[in-house]
Amino acid sequence: MSGPVTSLTFHENARAACKDASLRQSLKKCTGIFQKKRREAVQALPLEELRDQASAIKLQVLDDLGAYVDRFAASATRAGAVVHRAKDAAAARETIFHILKDRSATKIVKSKSMVTEEIHLNEHLHRRGMQVIETDLGEYIVQLAGEKPSHILAPAIHKNRQQIGKLFAEKLRVPYTEDHLELLKIARDTLRQDFLTADAGITGANFALADTGSVVLVTNEGNGRMATTLPRLHIAVLTLEKIIPSLADLATFMRLLPRSASGQILSSYVSLITGPKKQGESTGAEEVHIVLVDNGRSEIVAGDCREILKCIRCSACLNACPVYATIGGHAYGSTYPGPMGIILTVLLDGMDKAYPLLDGTTLCGACDEVCPVKVPLTKMLATLRERRIAEGLTSTSEKAAMAGFKHAVNSPRAFDWGQRALRRLWPGLVLLSGEKILGRVPQPADRSLRRRMS
Amino acid sequence: MRVQLFGTCLVDTFFPETGEATVRLLEYFGVDVAYPREQTCCGKPADSVGYQDVSREAARHFLSVFEGPDPIVVPSGSCASMIKHHYPGLFKDDSRLRAKAEQTASRTYELTQFLVRVLKAHQTGFRGSGSITYHASCQLTRELSVREEPILLLKSIEGAQYVALPEADRCCGFGGAFMAKMPEVSMSLAYEKAQNIVGVGADTVTGCDQGCLMNISDALKRAGSNISVKHIAQVLAEGI
């Protein structure tokens, strides 16, 4: 591929991904397993009822987002955390950098977080001379490889065991193995030292509770707990829509999130962190900072795609999406891939930087079926396609074809004429479009149905 | 009973035999079929790409052609869904056309939906042979919730055997303009669909949307398979 991979080179990226047999195999296998496990896990639930409930709770917050943010900030402050607000990615990076610098923290362990990917935190701290170590196994793998996550839950979904074995051998100077338990042990041994010597832990949050000021982390590997208890400083970074009203509401989401994400009834760890370690408590960071990142949310919540902010990042829509399962996350050239990713990227990065992604859906609706919070994904994808056309971000030939089509749909005579012209010009059109497009369509019938019926 | 048949532009232009089979089928069940000559396209191809001004024009024309109280039968899940679920939203600012769109939507049926739900014709007693598998197209399944109707009809064919397709409701990769905008991804999905069809060892694959079937037919040919691909109207009409 020539040049950097961005959302604007989406078609080129997707084409390249289609040729990568090993990528396709990994994706098909993993998304297949995730889908199967999810299907089995939700069977015992009053699923529709819970989805409606979860959606209603999220909408309740979105309807009054400013007030909920204030409430959460006040509760968290009461609990002893220091709350910072950042308007955009740059402000968030600076805030986090200064919290670290003021405490002479140079070695940081991180638990998996998509918002820190969104604000490109790691690169920023590296440039300022800090060492940032991802401790989620998948994140650790992509960090070692110098890559980005290709899935919001399983960052290294694009890699198979052999590739990971080679990567570990090369980067960690260990003997090659493709045994997953061996690989796990290697990562664990290396990371253990990092946990014990880190100055700070940075995490995201799955939820934030407005009534208690707690930050909720849903994890499987235990690294989240170590990152928030071993170093003396914990910084939780979260975007505004992570806030839910109360601890009671968390129950609804906890029944949906692990099942939708990994097909688990419950994840191995659910941590509620309410301020720093208090007197008499044996674990917890001595200092807890919460960075509330807006980065476009205040604008999104006022627009017609506000419901994307209901998303709880479970990744069920990625796993269900036939396009994602074919091309993988890197092809999107964005932090968030798949159906939710297309929508969020267009809204966060701007239509002009992300419009090609809108071609990356067949609008099949498989994502809508699995979304645990009923984000109307297909509807929003269609809405954004309309906006794209309204902004003129499409080819001249498409505009011309649509202008002709607009005339034909209104006039049966023009339609009939168009059909006959199409038949006459067909061989030329096939050559023009190429084998992969009209070469897959049979030639128009000698006599159309309208002629046969008259 | 009288119905109005909307042939759909794809069937009209490329697959008129599917339209003729639909007529034979409906007439077999004693339905009087009118084919409004002024019909064109429902507007779906423009709508899904984002050209609402074009799909609104198409919808306006459709509403003026398909007047009256008679049911409208459509041999396509995606076109039927366009009329049923997308038309009313196109006229948010025009209460007269919106009401008309809603009235039209309420009497629009996809073919198998009409056969099973309105005519109660699921015990067809048709004859056939070999094994038949079925691709569940996206809008038919997820927007119209037509899941069992086609299968009931296929199972009622005497002498033929219905075999379930794994991942039957997985998108085949057609997606209207998607097949032209992302041809490699589209072909890759169609290839997977074809592999599943070959895997169940069916003699025929059918479905309710000619667009998907066209895409699947191409993928099967490329895979060197000679499995026959037919719209459900043809499969049923051949068994009369």
Side-chain angles (χ1 to χ4, degrees):
Chain A
M1 194 168 305
S2 53
V5 171
T6 69
S7 299
L8 288 174
T9 60
F10 178 58
H11 289 80
E12 207 180 319
N13 314 342
R15 219 168 8 251
C18 281
K19 291 191 189 133
D20 187 339
S22 127
L23 172 71
R24 285 262 297 288
Q25 209 171 13
S26 298
L27 286 169
K28 195 171 158 63
K29 185 176 155 203
C30 296
T31 56
I33 292 171
F34 277 135
Q35 280 186 285
K36 182 170 176 286
K37 286 179 70 181
R38 178 205 160 270
R39 246 191 326 269
E40 289 163 2
V42 296
Q43 251 162 27
L45 288 183
L47 186 61
E48 283 312 296
E49 200 179 305
L50 284 170
R51 294 172 82 201
D52 284 333
Q53 243 174 50
S55 171
I57 296 167
K58 282 281 182 182
L59 285 176
Q60 178 192 334
V61 173
L62 295 181
D63 282 344
D64 206 2
L65 188 59
Y68 277 100
V69 173
D70 290 343
R71 237 180 104 198
F72 170 74
S75 304
T77 307
R78 238 185 345 265
V82 183
V83 178
H84 310 257
R85 300 199 192 197
K87 195 179 173 311
D88 54 22
R93 290 192 299 257
E94 274 309 289
T95 303
I96 296 162
F97 170 71
H98 282 288
I99 299 169
L100 293 166
K101 182 170 171 272
D102 292 350
R103 286 152 190 83
S104 308
T106 55
K107 182 172 184 176
I108 299 122
V109 283
K110 271 187 74 205
S111 172
K112 189 177 158 17
S113 136
M114 286 311 298
V115 61
T116 55
E117 295 289 337
E118 178 185 322
I119 63 171
H120 306 291
L121 180 65
N122 290 8
E123 297 92 313
H124 185 79
L125 297 180
H126 281 150
R127 270 201 302 275
R128 304 281 188 100
M130 293 177 176
Q131 189 191 0
V132 186
I133 302 143
E134 294 288 351
T135 65
D136 170 89
L137 183 59
E139 289 281 351
Y140 182 67
I141 292 166
V142 295
Q143 190 183 34
L144 276 186
E147 296 174 355
K148 295 273 187 192
S150 73
H151 185 280
I152 62 172
L153 186 84
I157 193 171
H158 57 286
K159 286 204 177 319
N160 59 31
R161 272 187 293 155
Q162 291 73 25
Q163 290 167 325
I164 296 165
K166 272 187 215 145
L167 179 73
F168 277 20
E170 184 198 328
K171 301 278 177 178
L172 303 173
R173 299 197 181 84
V174 292
Y176 173 83
T177 172
E178 52 182 64
D179 179 90
H180 66 283
L181 289 176
E182 281 291 319
L183 290 167
L184 201 62
K185 190 173 177 312
I186 295 166
R188 178 179 287 161
D189 289 346
T190 317
L191 287 170
R192 187 56 54 106
Q193 280 314 305
D194 293 323
F195 280 122
L196 291 170
T197 52
D199 305 311
I202 296 182
T203 69
N206 293 93
F207 303 97
L209 311 180
D211 62 344
T212 60
S214 314
V215 166
V216 184
L217 294 179
V218 181
T219 66
N220 269 321
E221 298 171 17
N223 61 316
R225 245 176 221 192
M226 290 207 271
T228 55
T229 53
L230 289 173
R232 59 168 302 279
L233 171 64
H234 169 209
I235 305 174
V237 190
L238 52 121
T239 45
L240 308 183
E241 76 273 23
K242 296 282 172 176
I243 297 169
I244 57 173
S246 73
L247 183 61
D249 297 315
L250 182 62
T252 304
F253 291 98
M254 284 314 300
R255 294 180 80 187
L256 289 167
L257 176 58
R259 285 176 166 95
S260 304
S262 51
Q264 291 169 286
I265 308 287
L266 193 60
S267 54
S268 307
Y269 300 91
V270 180
S271 311
L272 280 79
I273 298 157
T274 313
K277 179 161 72 176
K278 316 232 172 8
Q279 251 192 348
E281 289 180 351
S282 57
T283 60
E286 286 160 36
E287 234 186 298
V288 172
H289 291 253
I290 298 171
V291 182
L292 285 171
V293 185
D294 187 312
N295 206 29
R297 270 64 177 181
S298 292
E299 283 109 81
I300 295 174
V301 82
D304 55 2
C305 288
R306 68 201 299 261
E307 288 197 56
I308 192 62
L309 298 180
K310 296 196 299 189
C311 173
I312 56 172
R313 309 283 188 272
C314 70
S315 76
C317 67
L318 276 64
N319 300 329
C321 178
V323 178
Y324 176 87
T326 306
I327 62 175
H330 286 156
Y332 294 76
S334 56
T335 301
Y336 305 98
M340 58 72 65
I342 296 174
I343 296 165
L344 208 48
T345 305
V346 169
L347 296 172
L348 293 175
D349 294 0
M351 185 63 85
D352 58 329
K353 297 212 172 51
Y355 68 89
L357 298 182
L358 290 165
D359 288 335
T361 166
T362 65
L363 299 180
C364 75
C367 50
D368 294 335
E369 274 190 323
V370 296
C371 179
V373 286
K374 291 200 170 174
V375 176
L377 293 155
T378 306
K379 201 169 148 226
M380 282 193 289
L381 287 164
T383 302
L384 291 173
R385 278 184 172 181
E386 279 165 40
R387 192 175 305 163
R388 168 197 178 168
I389 299 304
E391 291 184 20
L393 294 165
T394 186
S395 66
T396 334
S397 57
E398 183 183 283
K399 286 181 203 166
M402 283 295 166
F405 192 57
K406 188 174 181 177
H407 177 61
V409 294
N410 245 329
S411 156
R413 272 185 60 196
F415 206 83
D416 180 63
W417 181 86
Q419 284 175 319
R420 282 178 296 135
L422 194 64
R423 195 162 55 242
R424 267 199 317 280
L425 300 173
W426 192 254
L429 291 171
V430 172
L431 282 177
L432 211 61
S433 85
E435 170 66 9
K436 286 176 182 171
I437 302 176
L438 291 187
R440 293 153 66 200
V441 180
Q443 63 172 3
D446 287 337
R447 280 187 79 218
S448 62
L449 183 63
R450 69 180 55 250
R451 296 220 154 198
R452 295 183 193 203
M453 296 298 287
S454 59
Chain B
M1 185 186 288
R2 231 180 84 94
V3 304
Q4 294 178 298
L5 176 64
F6 172 52
T8 79
C9 63
L10 198 67
V11 165
D12 180 13
T13 311
F14 294 92
F15 305 95
E17 298 78 17
T18 297
E20 291 176 325
T22 305
V23 175
R24 279 206 301 285
L25 195 58
L26 289 166
E27 286 178 347
Y28 171 83
F29 288 110
V31 175
D32 187 8
V33 181
Y35 188 87
R37 291 187 53 189
E38 303 291 293
Q39 62 180 274
T40 58
C41 165
C42 67
K44 173 86 182 168
D47 199 74
S48 59
V49 186
Y51 291 83
Q52 271 210 332
D53 60 321
V54 181
S55 61
R56 198 174 290 112
E57 277 305 300
R60 214 192 303 270
H61 180 74
F62 186 98
L63 296 177
S64 72
V65 172
F66 287 84
E67 300 257 17
D70 297 330
I72 301 160
V73 176
V74 189
S76 157
S78 83
C79 306
S81 176
M82 176 70 199
I83 299 157
K84 279 186 94 66
H85 296 294
H86 297 254
Y87 272 13
L90 288 172
F91 301 105
K92 280 188 203 119
D93 308 320
D94 186 331
S95 58
R96 189 187 66 84
L97 277 177
R98 192 188 165 95
K100 195 166 180 183
E102 275 164 4
Q103 193 271 344
T104 305
S106 71
R107 57 188 170 90
T108 297
Y109 300 88
E110 181 277 327
L111 174 63
T112 64
Q113 189 180 32
F114 183 76
L115 292 176
V116 173
R117 292 193 199 168
V118 180
L119 296 184
K120 316 273 180 217
H122 55 279
Q123 294 296 345
T124 59
F126 292 159
R127 288 170 308 279
S129 62
S131 58
I132 306 174
T133 195
Y134 166 72
H135 163 68
S137 46
C138 296
Q139 277 78 40
L140 179 81
T141 309
R142 284 180 275 266
E143 289 188 13
L144 293 177
S145 294
V146 173
R147 292 164 199 268
E148 292 306 315
E149 292 84 341
I151 295 170
L152 280 174
L153 290 164
L154 293 172
K155 281 184 174 167
S156 77
I157 302 175
E158 288 165 21
Q161 192 201 354
Y162 163 75
V163 283
L165 182 66
E167 301 182 285
D169 66 355
R170 179 85 158 169
C171 180
C172 71
F174 173 60
F178 180 83
M179 67 99 64
K181 293 199 168 202
M182 306 208 75
E184 292 84 5
V185 182
S186 172
M187 288 171 82
S188 172
L189 291 170
Y191 174 80
E192 282 177 23
K193 182 60 76 178
Q195 293 302 106
N196 279 340
I197 293 165
V198 171
V200 291
D203 302 310
T204 302
V205 56
T206 190
C208 301
D209 278 89
Q210 196 66 68
C212 312
L213 294 171
M214 175 179 90
N215 188 38
I216 291 169
S217 169
D218 176 72
L220 282 168
K221 264 190 226 132
R222 282 171 201 268
S225 158
N226 55 6
I227 293 171
S228 122
V229 183
K230 282 178 193 160
H231 191 278
I232 196 162
Q234 281 179 294
V235 171
L236 294 171
E238 281 172 10
I240 291 175

